[in-house]
Amino acid sequence: MPKIAKFYLIKPTLSPNTLSGEMALACDLSAQLWRQGQRVLIACETEQQALDLDEALWARDPEQFVPHNLSGEVTNFATPIEISWIGKRNAQRRDVLINLQQTVPDYVSAFNQVIDFVPVDEEHKALARERYKQYRQMGWQMEMVE
């Protein structure tokens, strides 16, 4: 089974949203993947970014609820979506990695699918290009989504 890295091109938005384009898309994609029966790890850059994403998932309309938890939270049942950050990761088996980090996480090989983002601003776009090169060098099949 080939390993696939999908890069989503983030478009500039005019709406004043508290979430960045990639974080808003990460919420929507994690909900879609969960509804398809996938287990997802969302890898954030910082604990604050993870907390913001956690809050955004809780704030969704009730019919759009996505069962999730922050890494390290004690839960009675394993949730299909886990939100982690650099230095914090549970070892539960997940199908898809949604990467919001500026680098490729060192545990990426544990996944068969990665979702990554090409942000609007040039500084973060350059970091995305580096991640793209790394995935390709590791032999991942690359896809771009607009």
Side-chain angles (χ1 to χ4, degrees):
M1 180 167 169
K3 292 186 177 260
I4 299 169
K6 286 185 182 179
F7 272 79
Y8 284 78
L9 198 57
I10 303 299
K11 303 277 190 219
T13 62
L14 299 175
S15 64
N17 190 338
T18 57
L19 288 182
S20 67
E22 51 268 36
M23 284 180 60
L25 188 53
C27 285
D28 292 342
L29 290 170
S30 64
Q32 288 174 20
L33 290 163
W34 168 63
R35 285 180 175 76
Q36 294 169 7
Q38 302 283 328
R39 297 176 53 78
V40 179
L41 176 68
I42 304 173
C44 295
E45 183 72 17
T46 64
E47 182 177 6
Q48 186 57 56
Q49 185 183 38
L51 292 169
D52 292 346
L53 197 63
D54 176 53
E55 186 60 36
L57 285 171
W58 279 114
R60 293 172 71 93
D61 291 332
E63 66 275 359
Q64 294 294 315
F65 176 73
V66 178
H68 67 282
N69 70 286
L70 291 164
S71 288
E73 280 184 331
V74 176
T75 59
N76 291 331
F77 303 98
T79 59
I81 308 220
E82 180 181 345
I83 305 167
S84 72
W85 56 93
I86 292 176
K88 186 78 162 175
R89 177 169 183 260
N90 283 352
Q92 289 185 26
R93 169 77 179 98
R94 304 286 171 180
D95 304 304
V96 181
L97 171 66
I98 296 179
N99 187 29
L100 293 170
Q101 296 180 4
Q102 295 180 11
T103 59
V104 174
D106 56 2
Y107 49 82
V108 71
S109 61
F111 295 85
N112 289 322
Q113 183 179 357
V114 172
I115 292 174
D116 210 313
F117 304 94
V118 180
V120 175
D121 71 278
E122 289 303 319
E123 178 185 345
H124 290 102
K125 200 178 281 187
L127 292 170
R129 285 187 197 106
E130 288 303 313
R131 291 192 305 276
Y132 187 95
K133 287 179 200 172
Q134 282 184 276
Y135 292 123
R136 195 174 57 207
Q137 288 170 348
M138 291 187 290
W140 289 65
Q141 181 179 318
M142 308 304 294
E143 294 181 16
M144 288 296 292
V145 181
E146 293 203 28

